[in-house]
Each structure stands twice: as structure tokens, then as C-alpha cells.
């Protein structure tokens, strides 16, 4: 069985999980990056403070400058100063413009803030001349990453939990949808709706669940067939057994009243024998239909079996003639001698029953490359061609016929089932002038 469902779940879980967590990791890094910079308005505010310090420095009023720096420090509850740097070259090359353009004591307002550090950084606004620097420890209200703790829980708990919950719902619905239809079909079947099938509710594919659904439908079909067959068999047998029971009751009354007692006792014995045979054949047919046993386990000579059956039939039907054209040896393997014995005996007896007194029954076997072709030809009235398949049904009644061949018991149905159990086949076909051919094909 192809593990289609396994690979589908693998793709969803493995590939989907890798993609999801990769995107989640990228989103977390991006959000952390975005939250590591000062807001635009805070950047502008620090730059404005630097411009104010530049103006006061240019005016040369150090007292005013000092007062303003102290006020700013108190208002923002932070550390603020303006410094002048002096760098002397001790050795090596002289400092060039590239150095002075990038040199600073504190951090530029556009630079990234390391949120992992607990202390706020010192921000700088470069003044003119280049050795003057406005420095301020970043006020707490301007510190970026305010929502960092929220982002931690969102990216590490909320989003994974939500995504896995959604994935669980998807997989649950994907698996439980067909299981729900399984339950519906099984419940309907258990309540007597033997036509309930999963395929009526669910489009079946090639995955494992579809295979299980097909198996259930096949099982339901088989079970429904067996139940229907048994119901019909019981109903038909109940109907068929009433007539011989009525004759037994009538014969019993006659015997009790002294009317032809010996004849009535023989009649009762005959009817009881027929009813016992009917019951045994019906039970055997039900067993074959329900159990479907493996009967292909024996090897024997079909010729010997046919000769034995024909000899018994000649003894029972002394007023009929049986011609046989059978090869001396008909080896057959993977079959069942008991099943074929009962089947062929029923077919030959049925043919003799409809062969008129003094007429002949012909049993012929022809060799084919892969099978033996057995034909039992009687001299009876034949059947309506439209009923050639129906006569193999238990207790079939040919009410539309005008000939004597109107009723069939269980014998032909049982014979057909026995023959099919050993992988053979049987069909009925009218002869050209009169009579019926029973054609049995048996694999060698």
C-alpha cells in the first residue's frame, strides 16, 4: 500500500514546520531590529537640544549655557553635558578629515541601540568646531524596545501556540472528516440500512483512509448480500416446506383412521426424507455463501468420480438410460472431491428427473487446453431461454412456463455454488430439438 497519507502529513508537519519557524525567526529578528532604533521624533528632539547648545555656545554665554544644561538634566532626569575634546597624535600619520567626520564620544541618534544592555547609552550631537560635543545620557522615556517583553511572549508563545492549534484543527478535521463518515455509515448499517456506504458521503482517493473506506464498503456489500441471501433462503424454505408438511399431516390423519396405513407411512417417510434433504442442502448453501471456504486443496481423478455417480444414478433411475462419453483418466488438482461429488450428483439427478421414462441422459467430457468441459444433456422439455440463469437461484419457480419443468429446489443453486468454490462455472442451454444441456467448466 502506498503511504500517501503518511507523506501528506510529513509534508505538512516537516516542510510546513520548517517554513513556519524560519519565518517566525526572521520576523522576531526583524522586529528586534526595528525596535532597536530611536523613534524619529526622539531623534529630532535630541538634535534640537544639540542645536540649542550650539546656539548658546556661539553666543559665548557660559552661564546661560550651564543653566540650560542643568534644567534639561533635571527635566529629563538624566545626565547632560557639553565637552571639548583634545586629541594629540603621538606617533604615526596625522588625523585626516575622514577621522574627524566619523569621530564622536557618544552615539549618533541614528545608530542602533543595544537593548540587551541595562544602562542607557550616551547620545551625542556633534557641534562646531568639531572638538565640541553635546552629550546626554538617553532619557528613559526615549529608550526603544518598550514592547520587547510583549514581543518575547508573542513570538515565543502566542504565535507558535496559535499556529500549532490551527495545525491541530486542520489535521483533526482532515482525519476526522472521513472517520465521521465511517461512523455514520456504520451506525446506519447497524440500524438495518444495509445499503449504507462511505463512498456515498466521501470522495475516495488513493490514501490509506480511502483504502479503509473501500474495505468497509466491500465488507458492507458482502455482508448485505449474505444477509439478503439468508433472508430470502429462510423465507423461501419456510414457504417450500409448508407443502410437504401439509402432505405429512394429511398422510398421518389417513394412517390414524386406518386408510391405506402402509401406503401413508411410506408417503410420510418419503416426505420426511425430502424435507431433510432440503434442510441439509439449504444449510450447506448458507454455509458456502456465508463462509466462502477454500475448497481447492485436493487432487483426484474426475473420471472415477463421475463413474461412481453415474453408477448410483443408474441404480436409482432404472427406467432411464444413461450414456457416458468419459475419458479413462481426468486428473484434476486444487479442487474438492466432496464439493464436486455433491454438485455433479445434483446436476445428473436433476437431468434424470426431467428425462422421460425410456429416454436417455448423456454425460460427456471434452478435454480443453486448460480445463475439462463436462456436458450433461437430458431429454426433457427444456426451459425458457430468459430463465437460463434464474434456475440456479434457490427455490426458483418458473411460473411462466407451460412445460413440466416449472420448479427448482436448492439442488442446482448448491451445485453452482460448489462448482464456483473450485473456480469452475456452470450454465444451462437448450438443445436444438428438446432437452437441456448443463455445461460445467472445471479448471484442470
Amino acid at each position: 500500500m502506498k503511504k500517501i497519507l503518511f507523506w501528506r502529513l510529513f509534508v505538512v508537519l516537516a516542510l510546513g514546520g520548517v517554513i513556519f519557524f524560519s519565518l517566525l525567526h526572521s520576523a522576531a529578528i526583524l522586529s528586534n531590529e526595528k525596535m532597536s532604533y530611536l523613534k524619529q521624533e526622539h531623534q529630532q528632539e535630541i538634535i534640537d537640544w544639540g542645536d540649542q547648545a550650539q546656539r548658546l555656545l556661539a553666543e559665548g554665554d557660559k552661564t546661560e549655557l550651564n543653566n540650560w544644561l542643568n534644567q534639561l538634566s533635571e527635566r529629563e532626569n538624566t545626565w547632560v553635558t557639553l565637552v571639548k575634546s583634545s586629541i594629540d597624535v603621538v606617533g604615526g600619520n596625522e588625523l585626516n578629515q575622514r577621522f574627524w567626520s566619523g569621530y564622536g564620544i557618544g552615539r549618533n541618534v541614528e545608530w542602533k541601540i543595544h537593548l540587551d544592555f541595562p544602562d542607557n547609552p550616551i547620545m551625542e550631537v556633534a557641534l562646531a568646531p568639531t572638538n565640541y560635543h553635546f552629550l546626554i545620557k538617553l532619557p528613559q522615556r526615549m529608550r526603544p524596545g518598550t514592547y520587547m517583553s510583549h514581543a518575547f511572549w508573542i513570538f515565543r508563545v502566542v504565535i507558535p501556540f496559535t499556529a500549532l492549534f490551527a495545525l491541530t484543527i486542520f489535521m483533526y478535521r482532515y482525519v476526522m472528516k472521513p472517520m465521521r463518515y465511517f461512523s455514520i455509515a456504520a451506525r446506519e448499517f447497524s440500524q438495518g440500512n444495509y445499503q449504507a456506504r462511505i463512498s456515498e458521503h466521501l470522495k475516495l482517493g488513493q490514501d490509506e483512509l480511502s483504502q479503509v473506506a473501500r474495505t468497509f464498503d466491500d465488507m458492507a456489500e458482502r455482508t448485505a448480500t449474505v444477509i439478503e441471501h439468508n433472508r430470502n433462503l429462510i423465507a423461501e424454505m419456510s414457504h417450500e416446506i409448508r407443502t410437504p408438511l401439509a402432505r405429512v399431516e394429511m398422510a398421518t390423519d389417513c394412517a390414524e383412521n386406518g386408510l391405506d396405513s402402509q401406503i401413508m407411512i411410506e408417503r410420510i417417510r418419503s416426505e420426511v426424507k425430502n424435507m431433510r434433504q432440503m434442510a441439509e442442502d439449504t444449510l450447506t448453501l448458507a454455509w458456502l455463501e456465508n463462509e466462502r471456504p477454500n475448497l481447492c486443496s485436493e487432487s483426484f481423478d474426475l473420471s472415477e468420480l463421475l463413474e461412481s455417480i453415474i453408477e448410483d444414478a443408474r441404480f436409482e433411475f432404472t427406467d432411464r438410460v444413461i450414456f457416458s462419453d468419459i475419458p479413462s483418466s481426468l486428473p484434476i488438482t486444487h479442487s474438492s472431491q466432496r464439493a464436486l461429488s455433491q454438485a455433479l450428483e445434483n446436476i445428473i439427478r436433476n437431468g434424470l428427473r426431467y428425462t422421460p421414462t425410456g429416454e436417455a441422459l448423456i454425460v460427456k467430457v471434452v478435454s480443453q487446453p486448460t480445463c475439462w468441459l463436462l456436458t450433461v444433456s437430458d431429454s426433457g422439455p427444456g426451459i425458457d431461454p430468459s430463465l437460463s440463469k434464474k434456475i440456479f437461484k434457490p427455490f426458483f419457480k418458473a411460473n411462466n412456463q407451460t412445460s413440466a419443468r416449472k420448479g427448482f429446489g436448492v439442488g442446482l443453486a448448491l451445485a453452482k455454488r460448489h462448482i464456483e468454490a473450485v473456480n469452475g462455472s456452470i450454465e444451462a442451454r437448450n438443445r436444438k430439438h428438446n432437452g437441456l444441456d448443463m455445461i460445467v467448466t472445471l479448471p484442470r
Side-chain angles (χ1 to χ4, degrees), residues 18 38 61 65 70 77 203 206 267 312 345 419 422:
V18 170
L38 296 179
D61 190 346
L65 175 61
N70 290 332
N77 191 26
K203 183 178 179 181
Q206 297 299 322
R267 183 62 182 268
D312 291 342
E345 184 177 355
I419 291 170
V422 294

Side-chain angles (χ1 to χ4, degrees), residues 193-204:
N193 179 14
Y194 299 122
Q195 304 305 315
R197 301 292 183 271
I198 297 175
S199 57
E200 296 178 356
H201 306 282
L202 184 67
K203 183 178 179 181
L204 302 182

Side-chain angles (χ1 to χ4, degrees), residues 7 23 45 133 217 252 262 317 330:
W7 291 113
L23 293 176
E45 191 171 0
H133 313 271
D217 285 354
T252 302
Q262 189 61 37
F317 294 87
L330 298 173

Side-chain angles (χ1 to χ4, degrees), residues 5-23 164 167 170-171:
L5 180 61
F6 171 81
W7 291 113
R8 285 181 181 175
L9 294 178
F10 174 77
V11 169
V12 172
L13 292 176
L15 185 60
V18 170
I19 293 175
F20 169 74
F21 285 108
S22 296
L23 293 176
L164 291 175
L167 180 62
F170 169 77
M171 293 181 60

